[in-house]
Amino acid sequence: AKQEGRNAYRSFTQEMQAYSTRYLQVLNALRQAIAQEQLHVHYQPQISLISGDVIGAEALLRWHHPELGNISPAEFIPIAEESGLILQIGEWVLRVAVAQAKKWHQLGLDKLIIAVNLSAVQFRHAGLPNLVMQILKEEDFPPQYLELELTEGVAMHDPQGAIAMMNSLHERGVRMSIDDFGTGYSSLSYLKQFKAYKLKIDQSFVRDISTDAEDKAIVSAIIGMAKNLGLQTIAEGVETAEQQAFLREEGCHEAQGYHYSKPLPAADFETFILGASAA
Ligand code: C2E
Ligand code: CA
Ligand code: CA
Ligand code: CA
């Protein structure tokens, strides 16, 4: 048993070393990523469950490194947050996504909403409202078509701070949605004070709504509560027609997921949306 313990310890140490090597590798690579144009933004369609139309696009970061290959945002966003690089990357995504949405508006898709994820570090940065306004002004883009996604966990980590920041963005006409909703233990009293426009039901609840009675109940409860608070709802991770049917029946407003489309490069998003409206 002692030997086993020692081996377990050794492999733990090796794992820690491998982890920190990878961490440093990714961190160093990330410092170059913007300048070397390795970062790209993909767009995932958001569909109205009432009309079936594409009404929005969520901007999602993609990173292809020449040696390390594709690195998932689930891996590099936390490293970017810890190192502070997220401020620079987050600003870049916001600018690229708003500029792209402006092009789509000019093409005639002038009701399209562009949703951009905010990291905890960006959200706690006092300069955020001015930065957002500066980008909207540079791109001549109407604030009400920009939606900033903030996770429920980040909002609930410091509810008073979140209320103040959301007020500030709301006053400037920008919409906020609460991402990964259902995982962050919001209390109703905070939810009422958050100036959110939309709740984004976490995909972990959506996944099993066709088979799991508890998940069904949770999703119904979130939709009902949102309705009573005057909030819109969008379900993420919708992969099947059954999930869509349930969500529509419950009165969920919008859906997003592989059932409709993966996140797409801008040109493919355009083809998707033009095809969808022609059909
Ligand atoms: P998220 O904001 O919750 O985004 C949803 C994730 O689910 C995305 O993963 C998306 O590609 C994936 N997804 C969409 N539809 C489906 C589906 O039907 N089934 C399944 N299984 N997955 C689906 P992705 O693109 O890998 O992003 C992961 C996370 O990384 C995001 O979670 C978000 O927290 C973060 N992220 C991505 N881009 C950005 C960004 O520009 N800024 C910040 N701060 N975070 C970002
Ligand atoms: Ca999101
Ligand atoms: Ca989410
Ligand atoms: Ca998530």
Side-chain angles (χ1 to χ4, degrees):
K2 206 175 227 172
Q3 192 58 36
E4 245 169 57
R6 211 170 278 152
N7 286 340
Y9 177 73
R10 188 176 302 138
S11 81
F12 176 72
T13 315
Q14 280 165 348
E15 241 169 69
M16 285 304 290
Q17 276 164 353
Y19 170 78
S20 65
T21 305
R22 170 77 179 177
Y23 182 96
L24 290 174
Q25 212 172 22
V26 170
L27 175 58
N28 285 325
L30 200 52
R31 293 188 208 281
Q32 324 281 325
I34 294 183
Q36 300 189 351
E37 297 181 5
Q38 294 163 6
L39 294 181
H40 298 277
V41 180
H42 282 193
Y43 300 88
Q44 189 174 34
Q46 299 181 321
I47 313 293
S48 163
L49 286 174
I50 299 152
S51 67
D53 294 337
V54 178
I55 54 174
E58 179 180 2
L60 291 157
L61 261 171
R62 295 291 176 264
W63 181 19
H64 182 81
H65 185 273
E67 278 108 47
L68 301 172
N70 289 327
I71 304 174
S72 158
E75 179 177 9
F76 73 79
I77 294 284
I79 296 176
E81 289 190 310
E82 213 171 305
S83 62
L85 281 172
I86 193 67
L87 286 177
Q88 206 188 329
I89 293 172
E91 176 174 344
W92 181 85
V93 174
L94 196 56
R95 191 166 271 120
V96 169
V98 169
Q100 182 59 62
K102 174 71 184 184
K103 281 186 200 147
W104 285 330
H105 277 212
Q106 284 171 329
L107 274 177
L109 307 168
D110 58 356
K111 295 285 179 288
L112 192 78
I113 292 196
I114 184 75
V116 180
N117 291 286
L118 277 186
S119 98
V121 177
Q122 286 174 285
F123 188 71
R124 290 185 199 122
H125 196 260
L128 179 67
N130 284 341
L131 174 69
V132 170
M133 292 320 284
Q134 186 196 321
I135 291 173
L136 290 171
K137 203 173 149 203
E138 279 167 20
E139 303 298 337
D140 186 28
F141 191 76
Q144 68 270 28
Y145 293 105
L146 173 64
E147 195 170 282
L148 296 175
E149 296 193 359
L150 173 76
T151 67
E152 187 188 20
V154 170
M156 285 309 296
H157 180 79
D158 170 18
Q160 294 305 334
I163 290 166
M165 182 55 92
M166 287 175 127
N167 276 335
S168 174
L169 290 163
H170 177 79
E171 277 165 16
R172 289 164 170 83
V174 173
R175 287 181 181 176
M176 303 276 321
S177 67
I178 307 211
D179 203 353
D180 299 352
F181 190 80
T183 62
Y185 312 102
S186 282
S187 75
L188 280 171
S189 75
Y190 282 130
L191 204 50
K192 230 174 56 181
Q193 295 174 73
F194 290 153
K195 283 279 184 325
Y197 176 78
K198 196 183 279 181
L199 299 184
K200 202 161 184 185
I201 304 168
D202 191 66
Q203 56 189 58
S204 63
F205 302 113
V206 174
R207 192 175 306 135
D208 299 323
I209 44 175
S210 310
T211 49
D212 186 319
E214 274 174 19
D215 287 346
K216 243 183 199 158
I218 291 169
V219 169
S220 302
I222 293 174
I223 295 168
M225 179 190 66
K227 205 169 284 171
N228 288 327
L229 290 170
L231 298 168
Q232 298 278 308
T233 42
I234 180 166
E236 63 178 4
V238 177
E239 295 184 352
T240 69
E242 290 76 36
Q243 291 166 339
Q244 173 185 259
F246 175 79
L247 291 161
R248 187 180 277 145
E249 187 135 320
E250 293 298 311
C252 184
H253 301 103
E254 295 166 28
Q256 182 182 342
Y258 299 161
H259 179 58
Y260 312 97
S261 170
K262 305 182 298 191
L264 300 168
D268 296 348
F269 180 88
E270 232 168 270
T271 308
F272 179 87
I273 197 171
L274 296 175
S277 60

